[in-house]
């Protein structure tokens, strides 16, 4: 079910005095899509959300929601649901009164308010908490109330600004699944802002990686993780091994730090260095097969994480290598100082420019 709205950013620029937070930002978001804007502090991700919500007027460009230009409309005219990290609940109102607030502001009848509040409470599984005050709730319950208040009037677009940042890890992970499930039921379009790349990978239909006010890469979580388009994205999303590539005059290339040839060509842009990005889980302790590349490393540390073991190791040439293995009853856990042979397929690595 899709009850969401499309969103269009058309060459949106936002400047604060002499500081530009967004540069010609253009992006199309589909109806019912869960899009996450991911970036480090200062990348411009909250500026995108504030411009969409109407809290920060765009310096230039245009924003459309459902095909309607809203660039110069105030926040209350945009019909958006919003959830923030700090919950922003009214401390003097009960749970039910907090959730009812947007409906009262829209002039809904008493009966409509009662029915919609009850439905929202059922969605977030807080039926028994309607008369409690915010101070009587846990952090996770308060965030559920904030979420219910944001969806009670069935907005076509839901904006979420790091809503799980104040919660502990287990609660964050549990609410990730709940938010995704509820969004599927409602069919609304979600624009979600976070700096947590694991959260982005787990929840998104599509991820936009921002860097210094510009889109560095946009794509599905798998695309972003498996095929980063720059050294920055490869390092920012998950862990990776970055191996310097040396092109030769014949059109081939090598990995000088490892002392091995790279079977593929390196399409070199003048003045641009290249790295081979290999994710730790792609390096396997096994006998190399036809076409594989293999290296020998010495284990420095093995970290037990329950279902996996993460290793830090070093190649004889001095290059640090990380690899990761699922834990199984038959798997030998390598110890510090042990030499192991790692193999990987060329298709499991990606060449990225140094930018």
């Amino acid at each position: 079910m899709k009850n969401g709205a499309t969103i269009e950013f058309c060459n949106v620029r936002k400047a604060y005095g002499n500081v530009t937070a967004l540069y010609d930002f253009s992006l199309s978001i589909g109806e019912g899509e869960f899009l996450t804007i991911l970036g480090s502090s200062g990348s411009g991700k909250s500026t995108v959300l504030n411009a969409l919500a109407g809290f920060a007027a765009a310096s230039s460009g245009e924003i459309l929601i459902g095909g309607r230009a809203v660039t110069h409309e105030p926040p209350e005219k945009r019909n958006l649901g919003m959830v923030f990290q700090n919950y922003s609940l009214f401390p003097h109102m009960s749970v039910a009164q907090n959730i009812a607030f947007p409906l009262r502001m829209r002039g809904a009848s008493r009966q409509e308010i009662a029915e919609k509040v009850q439905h929202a409470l059922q969605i977030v599984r807080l039926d028994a908490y309607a008369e409690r005050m915010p101070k009587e709730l846990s952090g996770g319950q308060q965030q559920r109330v904030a979420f219910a208040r944001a969806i009670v009037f069935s907005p076509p677009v839901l904006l979420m600004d790091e809503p799980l940042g104040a919660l502990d890890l287990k609660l964050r992970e549990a609410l990730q699944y709940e938010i995704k499930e509820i969004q599927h039921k409602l069919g609304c379009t979600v624009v979600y802002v976070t700096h947590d790349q694991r959260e982005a990978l787990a929840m998104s239909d599509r991820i936009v990686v921002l860097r210094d006010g510009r889109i560095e890469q946009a794509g599905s979580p798998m695309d972003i993780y498996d095929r980063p388009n720059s050294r920055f994205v490869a390092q920012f999303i998950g862990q990776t091994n970055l191996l310097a590539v040396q092109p030769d005059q014949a059109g081939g290339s090598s990995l000088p730090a490892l002392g091995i040839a790279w079977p593929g060509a390196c399409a070199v842009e003048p003045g641009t260095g290249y790295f081979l990005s290999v994710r730790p889980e792609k390096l396997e302790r096994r006998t190399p097969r036809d076409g594989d590349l293999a290296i020998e490393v010495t284990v420095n540390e093995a970290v037990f994480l329950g279902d996996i073991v993460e290793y830090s190791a070093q190649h004889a040439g001095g290059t640090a290598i990380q690899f990761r293995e699922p834990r199984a009853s038959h798997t030998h856990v390598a110890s510090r100082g042990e030499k192991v042979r790692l193999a990987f397929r060329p298709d499991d690595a990606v060449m990225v420019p140094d930018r």
Side-chain angles (χ1 to χ4, degrees):
M1 180 176 67
K2 289 187 178 181
N3 296 314
T6 59
I7 299 170
E8 293 280 344
F9 289 88
C10 305
N11 301 112
V12 173
R13 178 179 172 273
K14 177 59 184 175
Y16 298 94
N18 294 326
V19 178
T20 301
L22 282 181
Y23 294 86
D24 294 324
F25 183 86
S26 294
L27 180 68
S28 297
I29 304 173
E31 179 186 353
E33 184 176 13
F34 194 117
L35 181 123
T36 297
I37 299 174
L38 180 65
S40 55
S41 296
S43 62
K45 57 187 187 299
S46 290
T47 301
V48 172
L49 209 68
N50 288 333
L52 179 56
F55 298 146
S59 302
S60 61
E62 194 169 25
I63 301 172
L64 296 89
I65 299 176
R68 179 173 63 91
V70 298
T71 316
H72 304 293
E73 288 191 352
E76 64 272 16
K77 298 291 187 181
R78 300 191 185 198
N79 197 32
L80 306 174
M82 302 176 204
V83 185
F84 303 98
Q85 182 177 343
N86 62 2
Y87 317 140
S88 299
L89 301 180
F90 298 112
H92 61 287
M93 292 184 182
S94 68
V95 166
Q97 289 169 336
N98 264 284
I99 296 172
F101 183 78
L103 296 172
R104 291 206 307 271
M105 292 298 97
R106 286 166 171 77
S109 68
R110 183 174 298 182
Q111 181 178 350
E112 182 184 1
I113 289 174
E115 290 174 352
K116 289 191 172 183
V117 168
Q118 181 60 32
H119 181 59
L121 283 167
Q122 289 172 352
I123 288 175
V124 298
R125 297 202 288 271
L126 287 176
D127 313 51
Y129 295 79
E131 300 309 316
R132 291 201 185 182
M133 304 301 287
K135 66 181 180 181
E136 300 174 297
L137 305 177
S138 68
Q141 289 168 338
Q142 289 185 54
Q143 191 58 285
R144 281 192 174 95
V145 175
F147 189 71
R149 184 177 61 185
I151 64 174
V152 71
F153 59 97
S154 302
V157 175
L158 183 61
L159 310 184
M160 308 187 79
D161 191 0
E162 308 219 30
L164 308 181
L167 306 178
D168 63 69
L169 178 61
K170 279 192 173 292
L171 188 52
R172 278 206 314 271
E173 290 177 345
L175 285 179
Q176 285 172 16
Y177 290 107
E178 290 189 23
I179 289 171
K180 230 358 215 175
E181 182 182 359
I182 292 169
Q183 188 253 348
H184 279 308
K185 289 179 180 177
L186 299 176
C188 59
T189 304
V190 173
V191 181
Y192 193 97
V193 163
T194 184
H195 65 275
D196 187 324
Q197 46 92 10
R198 291 178 66 87
E199 196 169 282
L201 291 171
M203 300 180 72
S204 314
D205 297 322
R206 191 159 50 113
I207 296 172
V208 172
V209 180
L210 276 192
R211 181 185 186 188
D212 298 331
R214 294 181 173 90
I215 295 176
E216 184 74 14
Q217 187 172 354
S220 72
M222 282 190 179
D223 287 339
I224 296 285
Y225 185 82
D226 291 337
R227 292 287 177 257
N229 66 358
S230 67
R231 180 182 183 180
F232 173 83
V233 175
Q235 288 181 304
F236 190 71
I237 304 289
Q239 293 177 308
T240 195
N241 296 288
L242 287 168
L243 310 172
V245 175
Q246 178 64 53
D248 59 37
Q249 293 181 347
S253 54
S254 63
L255 307 175
L258 302 182
I260 59 177
W262 173 246
C266 179
V268 178
E269 296 177 15
T272 301
Y274 282 82
F275 287 84
L276 193 71
S277 172
V278 189
R279 299 292 185 186
E281 66 273 15
K282 299 299 184 182
L283 294 168
E284 300 178 315
R285 281 193 289 162
R286 59 172 172 78
T287 303
R289 296 186 284 263
D290 287 347
D292 281 353
L293 295 178
I295 57 173
E296 187 175 272
V297 298
T298 302
V299 172
N300 291 331
E301 202 66 57
V303 180
F304 172 69
L305 295 175
D307 58 336
I308 62 170
V309 179
E310 288 192 347
Y311 293 94
S312 62
Q314 192 168 13
H315 184 261
T319 301
I321 297 292
Q322 294 177 311
F323 65 101
R324 181 185 301 132
E325 294 179 332
R327 183 170 175 260
S329 57
H330 62 275
T331 303
H332 161 69
V333 177
S335 57
R336 182 180 178 85
E338 185 174 340
K339 293 186 183 300
V340 299
R341 194 166 178 80
L342 302 174
F344 67 98
R345 297 185 307 126
D347 287 349
D348 286 333
V350 61
M351 197 82 69
V352 295
D354 184 16
R355 66 167 194 267

